[in-house]
Amino acid sequence: MSGTSTNTNGASGSSQADRRTRVTVLVALTANLVIAAAKAVGGLFAGSPALLSEAAHSVADSLNEVFLLAALRRSRRPADRRHPFGYGKERFFWSLLAAVVIFVMGGCFSFFQGVEALRNGAEEKFSGYVAGLIVLGVAFLAEGISLVRALHQVHRQGGASEGARDPALRTVVAEDGTAVLGVTLAMIGMALHMITGQVVWEASASLGIGALLVYVAYRLGREAMGQLIGEAADPEASGRIRELLEAQPEIDSVEALFTMKMGLDSDLVAARIDLMPGLDSEHVEEVAVRIKRSIARAVPEAGEIFLDVTDRHANEAQESPAATGERGGA
């Protein structure tokens, strides 16, 4: 039995994608910082629970962008003795942390504002309504621009299926999409409060924003958790690897195939294969090297490839009664 490995990567393509993602995150961070300050000032001036909820939402998003920038830098560190497979999974860790921040800072604060408004009421002046709606209108425009930028990058990276592989980009899209919906809810709640004089509309908007943020945090956290605990590679990639192995003339059978995501564009591949009978050790090594190179070409994200090569027929012959002298005498 022998185990072999190889290491390949598309560093140039990955670094270009990272640069584009970094620009997208910086655009979102700039927008959220400006919007958070405007919402906080407008919310305090107007006494609007919905606007204060949106301010907390933007603060949470701003902190998340800082986490994502850290993820982009730290996840590309080279492998070392303590982390022989590299630091690619840090990308998933920071995405999980961002989900926690969305839940705690955004969702919980929005629920608090909504409940407080229902319990104690909220008095607003007409000028406060106008200022709040203007702030929300500007926020809607800024968040929309950031969302369009993120969606454009998703399209450039191969559409929804490929772009969604990047947890940083996925988080920005989720944040901006949620922000657009949250601002819309806040505008509707504030407008109805202004028209009817009933604070229940703004309180309901705050509760709706909180529910929206909790749902998004749950989805992002669940995806990050799956990747952190050892999620398998994409089914399409696994299928290509199995087809390639089964097409090799020297392979009798593929006993097992295991894959695991080690980072954004790096998968670990481990296969247990049985060879055809009659191959000498030198030929076995040549076959293993050729198979690894074929997998690396067919599946560029296969960064680590391990083959457990066995000759089942030789093992069966060694264990047979004839080979071990256990056959009964005549």
Side-chain angles (χ1 to χ4, degrees), residues 217-231:
Y218 167 75
R219 290 294 302 270
L220 291 174
R222 184 178 179 182
E223 292 170 358
M225 180 189 69
Q227 293 165 328
L228 277 173
I229 64 178
E231 187 177 62

Side-chain angles (χ1 to χ4, degrees), residues 12-75:
S12 59
S14 300
S15 61
Q16 290 177 2
D18 271 6
R19 282 194 292 270
R20 290 194 294 267
T21 300
R22 188 175 292 107
V23 171
T24 298
V25 174
L26 286 172
V27 169
L29 175 60
T30 302
N32 280 317
L33 286 174
V34 174
I35 293 169
K39 287 176 180 176
V41 172
L44 292 172
F45 176 74
S48 167
L51 197 51
L52 289 173
S53 295
E54 272 300 298
H57 180 185
S58 294
V59 170
D61 286 351
S62 299
L63 186 56
N64 287 340
E65 261 84 64
V66 175
F67 290 158
L68 297 179
L69 289 173
L72 290 173
R73 181 178 61 85
R74 295 178 62 85
S75 65

Side-chain angles (χ1 to χ4, degrees), residues 218-290:
Y218 167 75
R219 290 294 302 270
L220 291 174
R222 184 178 179 182
E223 292 170 358
M225 180 189 69
Q227 293 165 328
L228 277 173
I229 64 178
E231 187 177 62
D234 297 332
E236 182 182 353
S238 298
R240 292 203 307 270
I241 293 171
R242 181 172 288 276
E243 289 176 1
L244 188 149
L245 291 173
E246 292 175 345
Q248 303 301 313
E250 296 87 356
I251 295 180
D252 183 34
S253 64
V254 179
E255 296 299 313
L257 175 63
F258 304 99
T259 62
M260 184 171 64
K261 287 184 177 295
M262 300 303 297
L264 176 60
D265 50 13
S266 178
D267 296 339
L268 182 147
V269 178
R272 186 180 302 122
I273 58 177
D274 283 329
L275 298 179
M276 290 294 185
L279 297 177
D280 56 37
S281 59
E282 184 176 349
H283 194 187
V284 168
E285 186 66 25
E286 292 176 358
V287 169
V289 172
R290 192 189 73 233

